[in-house]
Amino acid sequence: MDLFRIENLSFRYPAAEKNALSEISLSVEGGSFVVLCGQSGCGKTTLLKMLKRELSPHGSRSGEIFYNGLCLQELSERKSACEIGYVLQNPESQTVTDKVWHELAFGLENMGAPTSVIRRRVGEMASFFGIQDWFRKNTSELSGGQKQLLNLASIMVMQPKVLILDEPTSQLDPIAAADFIATLQKLNKDLGLTILLAEHRLEEVFPIADRVLVMEEGGIAAYEPPRSVERALREKNPAHPMLKALPSAVRIFCGVDRIGDCPLTVKEGRRYLSEHWSENPPCVPPAAYMPGGEPALELKEVWFRYSRDLPDVLRGVTFSVCKGESFCILGGNGTGKTTMLDIAAGLRKAYRGKVLVAGKPLKEYRGGELYRHHLALLPQNPQTVFLKKTVEADFEEICKVMEYSAQERADMIESVSARLGIEPLQKQHPYDLSGGEQQKCALAKMLLLRPRILLLDEPTKGIDAFAKLQLLEIIRELKKDGIAIVTVTHDVEFACMAADRCALFFDGEIVSDDVPRRFFAENNFYTTAANRIARHLDPFAVTVEDVVAFCRGGK
């Protein structure tokens, strides 16, 4: 039986020039796992919010949504709150209490459940999700992965029939993201829970989906079983941008001969390569990294703690980045990577060690001198960058602060907007944009500062594969101009393409760094899906392009 049925749904935000959703018609079967994907701004979040009546956006709407055969608007408040669970992209946005145990009980308390029922359900969920060890902690002490798991548990304690999630892994490291997705799969299989998941990271979710909904400009580009999505997109448009976003196994299959069934997982991809490419040319190890050029940013034995009675977050961090070099840092949630960027940007002060910008100690930069063409930081939460009511006004304001002439302002804003493809967003309020659109606009604002050092904290969070390629081209252009780029990211696929060097941050310090093909070749979890698929044939192949080139070289 269909749990959701959507008939000719269209929606337009107030003052918007075009529909956010256009003539959407589809059905979601009870107990199914549906993955939604598409380019940033394609309507995924809008559609999901329309399915949760309390979150439905304000605007002009036509069409109908039915839940269990009833019009969604006719559901009682209690039934809507309890049966349709919703997990937001940012775990901070959904946490409402100060204690973990209270967060778990909060929803049931609001529903007026008896104390005995609350205690039993909270205990069951805490045990299922492995929350016992931090059950009595403050929610402010949790890592990003723990907060997102707590959000999921606090929804599941209500015993919903459907779970809607909007990019819940965007702020999680690869290991935490894989654990979170495995939990969703278990809920779907063991409880028969219907799951609708919007996601840009498709490697783990594609194989476990029953159907994949690919959205395009507010409409449906494909709504197919996972193995049929590539064919459906290619029939619609041989150069469809979402073809670049499909899992590595699928893209490798497309890049070679398309023999047999399309693989979806690492296991299937390895088997596929082993069956068809048993004889290959010898592997050529990549050259070792040879640093060159003048150091742009240096951290020397940097130590930091948030207060005297707390343990050290940074424990002797040491690294340097040269002009025109891209340096990517990976590591788990809550390990101190963002704190390290804050110190490099002068937002926090280390109690020991040195930070040098262009050879000059950080403390010698006075007033706003550091941020005038020297250094810019794109924070993890892009909303903190915006101060005005429109994106355009924000850009104008930062250009005035930098004292550009009127003509310079116009030229720079036009150039940066074109490079990032954000011209249609200029008149909108930053908070009305999708997460990926906010990220691109925030990056544009940082580029208007014309920095010599660019610090990026999770710059690919919430953006689609096409936008990542745009960002990659921008990084390459910035490098040609001699700009040093330091990126903290959980996106290993992006890091292996964007970096000259990659490093692992662990236990408060940089424990290892190397060129991407060497760095990822020796890792099991902090590596790309393409490398896991092909490492038995070529351990140094880390991108889909590497694997395809290797296979074609062996034919």
Side-chain angles (χ1 to χ4, degrees), residues 85-156:
Y86 198 107
V87 177
L88 301 170
Q89 182 182 84
N90 184 355
E92 302 283 353
S93 303
Q94 201 160 348
T95 306
V96 295
T97 67
D98 60 341
K99 296 288 186 181
V100 170
W101 65 267
H102 197 188
E103 189 72 20
L104 288 170
F106 184 78
L108 291 173
E109 289 175 346
N110 277 276
M111 291 296 104
T115 301
S116 60
V117 172
I118 294 175
R119 290 173 63 88
R120 183 176 70 249
R121 287 205 200 170
V122 166
E124 180 189 37
M125 283 301 145
S127 299
F128 178 83
F129 286 99
I131 292 175
Q132 303 99 313
D133 293 342
W134 35 283
F135 183 70
R136 298 194 177 276
K137 276 191 173 184
N138 293 325
T139 52
S140 59
E141 298 174 25
L142 304 182
S143 69
Q146 289 174 325
K147 285 180 180 177
Q148 198 64 298
L149 197 64
L150 175 61
N151 287 340
L152 177 58
S154 65
I155 296 296
M156 289 305 302

Side-chain angles (χ1 to χ4, degrees), residues 375-394:
L375 182 147
L377 168 65
L378 176 65
Q380 193 170 118
N381 182 0
Q383 289 189 355
T384 61
V385 166
F386 302 110
L387 304 173
K388 300 295 181 180
K389 292 184 178 180
T390 67
V391 172
E392 185 179 53
D394 247 302

Side-chain angles (χ1 to χ4, degrees), residues 275-289:
E275 290 174 353
H276 300 289
W277 281 272
S278 57
E279 296 182 6
N280 296 282
C283 304
V284 180
Y289 178 72

Side-chain angles (χ1 to χ4, degrees), residues 277-324:
W277 281 272
S278 57
E279 296 182 6
N280 296 282
C283 304
V284 180
Y289 178 72
M290 298 295 293
E294 185 180 337
L297 175 67
E298 298 173 86
L299 272 67
K300 298 183 177 181
E301 286 293 324
V302 171
W303 291 71
F304 175 83
R305 62 175 71 129
Y306 283 97
S307 65
R308 289 186 176 182
D309 58 341
L310 291 177
D312 288 309
V313 177
L314 304 183
R315 303 165 56 84
V317 174
T318 299
F319 71 86
S320 66
V321 184
C322 297
K323 293 180 179 179

Side-chain angles (χ1 to χ4, degrees), residues 35-305:
V35 170
L36 287 77
C37 59
Q39 293 182 255
S40 297
C42 68
K44 301 186 301 295
T45 297
T46 301
L47 177 59
L48 291 184
K49 285 185 175 180
M50 299 288 282
L51 301 179
K52 178 68 173 173
R53 191 178 64 194
E54 296 82 356
L55 298 178
S56 186
H58 175 67
S60 174
R61 154 187 170 160
S62 63
E64 293 292 342
I65 302 174
F66 296 93
Y67 171 76
N68 255 342
L70 290 174
C71 180
L72 193 65
Q73 302 303 316
E74 296 176 4
L75 290 183
S76 67
E77 291 185 2
R78 185 182 187 88
K79 194 176 186 71
S80 178
C82 292
E83 293 193 9
I84 304 175
Y86 198 107
V87 177
L88 301 170
Q89 182 182 84
N90 184 355
E92 302 283 353
S93 303
Q94 201 160 348
T95 306
V96 295
T97 67
D98 60 341
K99 296 288 186 181
V100 170
W101 65 267
H102 197 188
E103 189 72 20
L104 288 170
F106 184 78
L108 291 173
E109 289 175 346
N110 277 276
M111 291 296 104
T115 301
S116 60
V117 172
I118 294 175
R119 290 173 63 88
R120 183 176 70 249
R121 287 205 200 170
V122 166
E124 180 189 37
M125 283 301 145
S127 299
F128 178 83
F129 286 99
I131 292 175
Q132 303 99 313
D133 293 342
W134 35 283
F135 183 70
R136 298 194 177 276
K137 276 191 173 184
N138 293 325
T139 52
S140 59
E141 298 174 25
L142 304 182
S143 69
Q146 289 174 325
K147 285 180 180 177
Q148 198 64 298
L149 197 64
L150 175 61
N151 287 340
L152 177 58
S154 65
I155 296 296
M156 289 305 302
V157 80
M158 306 285 287
Q159 297 183 346
K161 292 185 177 179
V162 59
L163 184 62
I164 302 172
L165 306 100
D166 187 9
E167 296 186 36
T169 69
S170 65
Q171 299 189 43
L172 305 185
D173 65 71
I175 296 173
D179 289 344
F180 188 88
I181 290 167
T183 300
L184 295 181
Q185 184 181 18
K186 185 174 176 63
L187 291 172
N188 176 249
K189 288 187 175 298
D190 292 357
L191 302 181
L193 182 68
T194 305
I195 294 179
L196 288 89
L197 170 68
E199 188 59 79
H200 283 307
R201 293 158 62 164
L202 300 180
E203 295 287 352
E204 287 89 4
V205 300
F206 222 75
I208 62 177
D210 295 304
R211 292 181 78 88
V212 176
L213 173 62
V214 183
M215 297 191 65
E216 180 180 35
E217 297 182 350
I220 298 176
Y223 187 40
E224 303 284 343
R227 293 189 199 276
S228 303
V229 170
E230 179 267 336
R231 185 183 67 252
L233 291 177
R234 196 171 293 279
E235 288 175 355
K236 184 179 181 68
N237 177 6
H240 199 288
M242 280 305 295
L243 290 170
K244 298 180 182 296
L246 299 180
S248 298
V250 179
R251 286 184 287 144
I252 291 170
F253 175 80
C254 295
V256 289
D257 291 341
R258 289 196 184 90
I259 304 169
D261 293 333
C262 176
L264 295 179
T265 65
V266 168
K267 179 181 178 180
E268 291 176 0
R270 287 174 67 92
R271 182 185 300 125
Y272 178 81
L273 291 185
S274 296
E275 290 174 353
H276 300 289
W277 281 272
S278 57
E279 296 182 6
N280 296 282
C283 304
V284 180
Y289 178 72
M290 298 295 293
E294 185 180 337
L297 175 67
E298 298 173 86
L299 272 67
K300 298 183 177 181
E301 286 293 324
V302 171
W303 291 71
F304 175 83
R305 62 175 71 129

Side-chain angles (χ1 to χ4, degrees), residues 15 35 41 97 242 332 400 412 432 511 550:
V35 170
T97 67
M242 280 305 295
K400 289 178 182 177
M412 289 180 63
D432 288 340
V511 296
F550 180 80

